Amino acid sequence: MLYFLENDNYKVGIDTLGAELHHFIKKDDNLEFIWQADPQVWTGHAPNLFPIVGELPGQQYTFEGQQYDMKRHGFARRKEFEVVEEQHDKLVFQLTEDEETLQQYPFEFRLLVAYTLEWNKLSVTYHVANTGGQALYFSIGAHPGFNVPLYPNEKYEDYFIEFEKEETLHRYLLSEDGLQNGDTESVMEQERVLPLKSSYFYKDALVFKEVQSEKVVLGSHKNPRRVEMEFEGFPYLGIWGKPEYPRYVCIEPWCGIAGRVGESGDITEKEGINQLAPEQSFARTYTITVL
């Protein structure tokens, strides 16, 4: 079911399935910034990734000697959330463990995804709480897809991603089954602007670990529209699209990352995993501002 936040100029739509952002619309010209999930290309809009980010070796992990199965990016994006707060400018969605999640993830938790719309700025806050009696291990991340190009007279290559700071970045390459394979490739050398090229994605996502910036801007050389994303406290960043369908780009701040070829599979040893003691909580916020 879709819920909406709206003011005079902007309208945001969020689905209870996955607590997923579906729309960010500039109302005066009905301009939609969010990818609209063409089923022949990519069925997502902006999925929330929990309790893992990326792929696991063999889509499996172990905890205390027990083996569990879990698909790429975890189960939250396929679960119905409950709306626990609804105001004119704020919606909060909640997910807790159930019989289905406990079969693949033996932890008690509460995940809140809060959306707040303030004029042209949408804040998305993840709040994870350990409601059980043992340590909770998790990753969490965002995966919003943005329409590129925005207008029919433009090309994908007219767009760019500008970082807040000069960056020297290497992508961490992924294997065919989505795992870090140990290889890297230079992408930026003391630069701020990354031109969009669909050819990047023939090797899957651009996966970055050393990003110094906490803000990026998605823009075009052909129009003045901009999308700003701020993501303080997210140590990893992914950028992804489909090379054969250059119609969107995902900018993905993560607290977690895909597994590595040859890793042990023990979730407590996984790169990018977060640990919460009983009754502890964790919060991160990213924002999307459209200009």
Side-chain angles (χ1 to χ4, degrees), residues 6-59:
E6 191 168 358
N7 56 39
D8 289 345
N9 279 17
Y10 298 93
K11 184 176 183 179
V12 168
I14 304 109
D15 199 341
T16 52
L17 181 63
E20 183 175 4
L21 175 66
H22 277 212
H23 301 284
F24 200 152
I25 298 170
K26 188 172 180 292
K27 290 164 61 174
D28 60 355
D29 55 4
N30 202 35
L31 185 63
E32 172 68 82
F33 288 87
I34 300 298
W35 168 248
Q36 288 304 290
D38 184 334
Q40 296 184 10
V41 181
W42 176 52
T43 59
H45 298 266
N48 296 304
L49 317 181
F50 177 88
I52 61 166
V53 171
E55 193 70 78
L56 297 170
Q59 297 193 330

Side-chain angles (χ1 to χ4, degrees), residues 150-259:
L150 283 171
Y151 298 102
N153 62 337
E154 298 176 325
K155 307 186 302 294
Y156 199 77
E157 292 75 15
D158 293 329
Y159 284 72
F160 58 86
I161 295 173
E162 183 174 356
F163 289 77
E164 177 185 28
K165 301 176 181 179
E166 283 193 352
E167 301 282 356
T168 295
L169 295 176
H170 294 76
R171 69 186 299 181
Y172 285 74
L173 293 169
L174 303 176
S175 64
E176 289 186 1
D177 50 0
L179 302 174
Q180 296 182 68
N181 66 14
D183 294 331
T184 63
E185 184 176 274
S186 178
V187 177
M188 299 176 68
E189 293 285 345
Q190 285 298 299
E191 298 170 275
R192 290 184 59 191
V193 175
L194 177 70
L196 271 192
K197 297 186 291 189
S198 60
S199 58
Y200 283 135
F201 308 123
Y202 282 111
K203 297 180 180 180
D204 208 319
L206 295 173
V207 177
F208 299 131
K209 298 184 184 184
E210 304 93 358
V211 178
Q212 302 302 306
S213 301
E214 295 179 338
K215 180 172 76 172
V216 297
V217 176
L218 173 62
S220 169
H221 298 293
K222 296 289 183 68
N223 75 72
R225 300 296 180 210
R226 299 289 184 266
V227 176
E228 292 184 354
M229 282 192 69
E230 297 186 57
F231 43 85
E232 181 181 357
F234 290 80
Y236 306 99
L237 182 68
I239 298 173
W240 176 75
K242 283 281 187 73
E244 63 273 32
Y245 295 102
R247 293 161 51 191
Y248 68 91
V249 65
C250 295
I251 303 174
E252 310 176 35
W254 301 329
C255 292
I257 196 169

